[in-house]
Amino acid sequence: MSDSTPSDPQTTATEPVAGQDVAGAGESAQEVIEVKRGSFGVIGTGDTSGFGGLVDKIETEPAASRPYGGWFDDATDELELALADRGLPATEAIERIVIEHGEITYHVRREHLIPFVTALRNEPALRFEWCSGVSGIHYPDFVGKELHAVYHLTSITHGRSIRVEVSCPDTDPHIPSIVSVYPTNDWHERETYDFFGIVFDGHPALTRILMPDDWVGHPQRKDYPLNGIAVEYKGATVPPPDDRRGYN
């Protein structure tokens, strides 16, 4: 496929059409991830700072609408056609596309992750040959999407980089492993499982990689206790983090 896809007046409604917005594009409503209130961890009458009335609503980035700008449109056109060739409509695979700080992120439904990244790797006009790893994110208050896996992909052929993000609920923390497509993701998925508890289905050996095998919990989740021990220095004692004053 070429970098540009000319319009065809003979294209029917049942054929894949590139250049259209995917689901979620142009939506004005953003999902609320978290609402932070106050400051310095003080709640109620104990707040003498004047910051207790602060309300900070953390929302998802708005979905982008075409034209995206730069090479983003051509790459997305090629991706939509490549998915259609595999019998997967882009509107079904992609929840939304976000463009922030000159970078493009495809939010993909987890059940379609494998064919999605396979198209990114194999399509000649895309050729994202390298996945540098997967990172985990934990949003405790983002109901139904508490856990996120973020993949960074690079096309050495075309000199381009994109991001793919997949979410899953805390009650069902399963995302398909992409080791069969990008073998170098093996240890990265193990680390994300170890620290965030995301279970990568189909991984050849999903075990902890940094914490002991019998460790309880996942240390980089935001609801994981700080723990720690008291430290004594010259007669003064600093309590462990869990017993100190809380900051949000």
mmCIF file of all heavy atoms in Angstrom, residues 14 32 36 44-45 91 97 109 113 129-130 139 141 149 155 167 174-175 187 210 227 233 242:
data_model
loop_
_atom_site.group_PDB
_atom_site.id
_atom_site.type_symbol
_atom_site.label_atom_id
_atom_site.label_comp_id
_atom_site.label_asym_id
_atom_site.label_seq_id
_atom_site.Cartn_x
_atom_site.Cartn_y
_atom_site.Cartn_z
ATOM 1 N N THR A 14 -20.097 -1.274 2.022
ATOM 2 C CA THR A 14 -19.673 -2.495 2.687
ATOM 3 C C THR A 14 -18.176 -2.713 2.602
ATOM 4 O O THR A 14 -17.653 -3.616 3.213
ATOM 5 C CB THR A 14 -20.391 -3.709 2.066
ATOM 6 O OG1 THR A 14 -20.071 -3.757 0.659
ATOM 7 C CG2 THR A 14 -21.890 -3.597 2.249
ATOM 8 N N VAL A 32 -13.735 10.393 33.540
ATOM 9 C CA VAL A 32 -13.097 10.866 34.765
ATOM 10 C C VAL A 32 -12.280 9.732 35.374
ATOM 11 O O VAL A 32 -12.808 8.667 35.692
ATOM 12 C CB VAL A 32 -14.138 11.370 35.778
ATOM 13 C CG1 VAL A 32 -13.454 11.791 37.082
ATOM 14 C CG2 VAL A 32 -14.918 12.536 35.188
ATOM 15 N N LYS A 36 -9.472 14.604 42.875
ATOM 16 C CA LYS A 36 -8.677 14.882 44.068
ATOM 17 C C LYS A 36 -9.252 16.100 44.776
ATOM 18 O O LYS A 36 -9.599 17.086 44.151
ATOM 19 C CB LYS A 36 -7.220 15.148 43.688
ATOM 20 C CG LYS A 36 -6.499 13.936 43.106
ATOM 21 C CD LYS A 36 -5.039 14.256 42.833
ATOM 22 C CE LYS A 36 -4.302 13.031 42.318
ATOM 23 N NZ LYS A 36 -2.856 13.329 42.077
ATOM 24 N N GLY A 44 -11.207 18.092 56.518
ATOM 25 C CA GLY A 44 -12.051 18.594 57.599
ATOM 26 C C GLY A 44 -11.497 19.845 58.251
ATOM 27 O O GLY A 44 -10.744 20.619 57.668
ATOM 28 N N THR A 45 -11.844 20.035 59.545
ATOM 29 C CA THR A 45 -11.501 21.265 60.242
ATOM 30 C C THR A 45 -10.007 21.397 60.521
ATOM 31 O O THR A 45 -9.538 22.470 60.905
ATOM 32 C CB THR A 45 -12.270 21.350 61.569
ATOM 33 O OG1 THR A 45 -11.968 20.173 62.347
ATOM 34 C CG2 THR A 45 -13.768 21.399 61.322
ATOM 35 N N THR A 91 -13.154 0.311 13.653
ATOM 36 C CA THR A 91 -14.058 0.844 14.668
ATOM 37 C C THR A 91 -14.340 -0.170 15.768
ATOM 38 O O THR A 91 -14.750 0.202 16.863
ATOM 39 C CB THR A 91 -15.390 1.268 14.030
ATOM 40 O OG1 THR A 91 -15.904 0.181 13.244
ATOM 41 C CG2 THR A 91 -15.189 2.486 13.142
ATOM 42 N N ILE A 97 -8.540 7.291 19.421
ATOM 43 C CA ILE A 97 -7.184 7.709 19.078
ATOM 44 C C ILE A 97 -6.926 9.047 19.760
ATOM 45 O O ILE A 97 -7.747 9.953 19.678
ATOM 46 C CB ILE A 97 -7.006 7.829 17.555
ATOM 47 C CG1 ILE A 97 -7.169 6.455 16.892
ATOM 48 C CG2 ILE A 97 -5.639 8.420 17.217
ATOM 49 C CD1 ILE A 97 -7.141 6.507 15.381
ATOM 50 N N ARG A 109 -9.095 -2.278 22.160
ATOM 51 C CA ARG A 109 -9.818 -3.238 22.986
ATOM 52 C C ARG A 109 -8.979 -4.506 23.127
ATOM 53 O O ARG A 109 -8.430 -5.009 22.148
ATOM 54 C CB ARG A 109 -11.182 -3.551 22.375
ATOM 55 C CG ARG A 109 -12.111 -2.338 22.356
ATOM 56 C CD ARG A 109 -13.473 -2.656 21.760
ATOM 57 N NE ARG A 109 -14.368 -1.497 21.867
ATOM 58 C CZ ARG A 109 -14.442 -0.517 20.977
ATOM 59 N NH1 ARG A 109 -13.686 -0.568 19.885
ATOM 60 N NH2 ARG A 109 -15.257 0.500 21.149
ATOM 61 N N LEU A 113 -6.184 -7.161 20.540
ATOM 62 C CA LEU A 113 -4.795 -6.706 20.605
ATOM 63 C C LEU A 113 -3.871 -7.484 19.673
ATOM 64 O O LEU A 113 -3.036 -6.890 18.974
ATOM 65 C CB LEU A 113 -4.274 -6.805 22.049
ATOM 66 C CG LEU A 113 -2.823 -6.400 22.267
ATOM 67 C CD1 LEU A 113 -2.591 -4.950 21.860
ATOM 68 C CD2 LEU A 113 -2.419 -6.626 23.720
ATOM 69 N N GLU A 129 8.482 -2.772 13.542
ATOM 70 C CA GLU A 129 9.196 -4.017 13.796
ATOM 71 C C GLU A 129 9.585 -4.204 15.257
ATOM 72 O O GLU A 129 9.844 -5.316 15.696
ATOM 73 C CB GLU A 129 10.488 -4.084 12.968
ATOM 74 C CG GLU A 129 10.300 -3.819 11.471
ATOM 75 C CD GLU A 129 10.685 -2.396 11.105
ATOM 76 O OE1 GLU A 129 10.527 -1.495 11.946
ATOM 77 O OE2 GLU A 129 11.145 -2.183 9.962
ATOM 78 N N TRP A 130 9.641 -3.118 16.007
ATOM 79 C CA TRP A 130 10.214 -3.199 17.346
ATOM 80 C C TRP A 130 9.243 -2.704 18.405
ATOM 81 O O TRP A 130 8.709 -1.608 18.305
ATOM 82 C CB TRP A 130 11.498 -2.346 17.394
ATOM 83 C CG TRP A 130 12.189 -2.363 18.724
ATOM 84 C CD1 TRP A 130 12.341 -3.420 19.566
ATOM 85 C CD2 TRP A 130 12.795 -1.247 19.385
ATOM 86 N NE1 TRP A 130 13.029 -3.051 20.696
ATOM 87 C CE2 TRP A 130 13.320 -1.711 20.614
ATOM 88 C CE3 TRP A 130 12.964 0.098 19.034
ATOM 89 C CZ2 TRP A 130 13.990 -0.881 21.504
ATOM 90 C CZ3 TRP A 130 13.635 0.927 19.924
ATOM 91 C CH2 TRP A 130 14.140 0.439 21.136
ATOM 92 N N TYR A 139 -4.966 3.008 37.906
ATOM 93 C CA TYR A 139 -5.876 4.086 38.270
ATOM 94 C C TYR A 139 -6.942 3.488 39.200
ATOM 95 O O TYR A 139 -7.949 2.952 38.717
ATOM 96 C CB TYR A 139 -6.564 4.680 37.042
ATOM 97 C CG TYR A 139 -5.645 5.316 36.021
ATOM 98 C CD1 TYR A 139 -5.512 4.788 34.742
ATOM 99 C CD2 TYR A 139 -4.926 6.465 36.327
ATOM 100 C CE1 TYR A 139 -4.687 5.378 33.791
ATOM 101 C CE2 TYR A 139 -4.098 7.071 35.391
ATOM 102 C CZ TYR A 139 -3.989 6.519 34.130
ATOM 103 O OH TYR A 139 -3.169 7.111 33.187
ATOM 104 N N ASP A 141 -9.371 4.559 40.927
ATOM 105 C CA ASP A 141 -10.738 5.091 40.882
ATOM 106 C C ASP A 141 -11.344 5.092 39.482
ATOM 107 O O ASP A 141 -12.461 5.575 39.294
ATOM 108 C CB ASP A 141 -10.753 6.523 41.434
ATOM 109 C CG ASP A 141 -10.284 6.582 42.880
ATOM 110 O OD1 ASP A 141 -10.661 5.677 43.649
ATOM 111 O OD2 ASP A 141 -9.536 7.512 43.228
ATOM 112 N N ALA A 149 -2.115 -1.312 30.214
ATOM 113 C CA ALA A 149 -0.830 -1.741 29.667
ATOM 114 C C ALA A 149 -0.511 -0.846 28.476
ATOM 115 O O ALA A 149 -1.340 -0.663 27.590
ATOM 116 C CB ALA A 149 -0.882 -3.204 29.233
ATOM 117 N N SER A 155 8.877 1.958 14.189
ATOM 118 C CA SER A 155 9.154 1.478 12.837
ATOM 119 C C SER A 155 10.541 1.963 12.447
ATOM 120 O O SER A 155 10.741 3.154 12.205
ATOM 121 C CB SER A 155 8.111 1.995 11.845
ATOM 122 O OG SER A 155 8.521 1.714 10.516
ATOM 123 N N SER A 167 -6.683 -1.417 28.246
ATOM 124 C CA SER A 167 -7.134 -1.385 29.640
ATOM 125 C C SER A 167 -7.897 -2.651 29.990
ATOM 126 O O SER A 167 -8.408 -3.368 29.117
ATOM 127 C CB SER A 167 -8.027 -0.163 29.891
ATOM 128 O OG SER A 167 -9.225 -0.259 29.143
ATOM 129 N N HIS A 174 -6.894 -9.389 32.889
ATOM 130 C CA HIS A 174 -6.311 -10.224 31.839
ATOM 131 C C HIS A 174 -6.178 -9.445 30.533
ATOM 132 O O HIS A 174 -7.120 -8.792 30.088
ATOM 133 C CB HIS A 174 -7.167 -11.471 31.600
ATOM 134 C CG HIS A 174 -7.130 -12.443 32.747
ATOM 135 N ND1 HIS A 174 -6.300 -13.539 32.767
ATOM 136 C CD2 HIS A 174 -7.821 -12.452 33.918
ATOM 137 C CE1 HIS A 174 -6.491 -14.198 33.901
ATOM 138 N NE2 HIS A 174 -7.403 -13.562 34.615
ATOM 139 N N ILE A 175 -4.995 -9.538 29.916
ATOM 140 C CA ILE A 175 -4.706 -8.960 28.612
ATOM 141 C C ILE A 175 -3.899 -9.992 27.832
ATOM 142 O O ILE A 175 -3.010 -10.631 28.404
ATOM 143 C CB ILE A 175 -3.903 -7.640 28.751
ATOM 144 C CG1 ILE A 175 -4.785 -6.549 29.369
ATOM 145 C CG2 ILE A 175 -3.372 -7.170 27.396
ATOM 146 C CD1 ILE A 175 -4.059 -5.247 29.636
ATOM 147 N N TRP A 187 10.209 -10.544 29.017
ATOM 148 C CA TRP A 187 10.526 -10.113 30.370
ATOM 149 C C TRP A 187 9.769 -8.852 30.768
ATOM 150 O O TRP A 187 9.496 -8.633 31.950
ATOM 151 C CB TRP A 187 12.039 -9.899 30.510
ATOM 152 C CG TRP A 187 12.813 -11.181 30.557
ATOM 153 C CD1 TRP A 187 12.337 -12.433 30.263
ATOM 154 C CD2 TRP A 187 14.182 -11.353 30.919
ATOM 155 N NE1 TRP A 187 13.323 -13.369 30.412
ATOM 156 C CE2 TRP A 187 14.473 -12.741 30.809
ATOM 157 C CE3 TRP A 187 15.187 -10.478 31.304
ATOM 158 C CZ2 TRP A 187 15.730 -13.259 31.087
ATOM 159 C CZ3 TRP A 187 16.447 -10.996 31.581
ATOM 160 C CH2 TRP A 187 16.707 -12.368 31.482
ATOM 161 N N LEU A 210 11.222 -9.833 39.566
ATOM 162 C CA LEU A 210 12.015 -9.061 40.512
ATOM 163 C C LEU A 210 11.676 -9.409 41.961
ATOM 164 O O LEU A 210 12.577 -9.514 42.798
ATOM 165 C CB LEU A 210 11.814 -7.557 40.279
ATOM 166 C CG LEU A 210 12.332 -7.027 38.932
ATOM 167 C CD1 LEU A 210 11.964 -5.560 38.762
ATOM 168 C CD2 LEU A 210 13.846 -7.189 38.849
ATOM 169 N N ASN A 227 4.533 0.410 53.753
ATOM 170 C CA ASN A 227 5.300 -0.391 54.710
ATOM 171 C C ASN A 227 6.479 0.406 55.259
ATOM 172 O O ASN A 227 6.380 1.577 55.518
ATOM 173 C CB ASN A 227 5.772 -1.702 54.060
ATOM 174 C CG ASN A 227 4.608 -2.589 53.703
ATOM 175 O OD1 ASN A 227 3.672 -2.722 54.472
ATOM 176 N ND2 ASN A 227 4.651 -3.198 52.529
ATOM 177 N N TYR A 233 17.605 8.095 64.873
ATOM 178 C CA TYR A 233 18.852 8.808 64.616
ATOM 179 C C TYR A 233 19.052 9.860 65.698
ATOM 180 O O TYR A 233 18.245 10.780 65.845
ATOM 181 C CB TYR A 233 18.820 9.472 63.236
ATOM 182 C CG TYR A 233 20.072 10.249 62.889
ATOM 183 C CD1 TYR A 233 21.268 9.591 62.607
ATOM 184 C CD2 TYR A 233 20.057 11.637 62.865
ATOM 185 C CE1 TYR A 233 22.414 10.297 62.292
ATOM 186 C CE2 TYR A 233 21.200 12.356 62.550
ATOM 187 C CZ TYR A 233 22.373 11.684 62.261
ATOM 188 O OH TYR A 233 23.511 12.384 61.959
ATOM 189 N N ASP A 242 4.008 4.301 56.394
ATOM 190 C CA ASP A 242 2.587 4.048 56.604
ATOM 191 C C ASP A 242 2.021 4.810 57.802
ATOM 192 O O ASP A 242 0.817 5.028 57.893
ATOM 193 C CB ASP A 242 2.344 2.553 56.807
ATOM 194 C CG ASP A 242 2.164 1.825 55.484
ATOM 195 O OD1 ASP A 242 2.261 2.487 54.444
ATOM 196 O OD2 ASP A 242 1.926 0.610 55.503
#
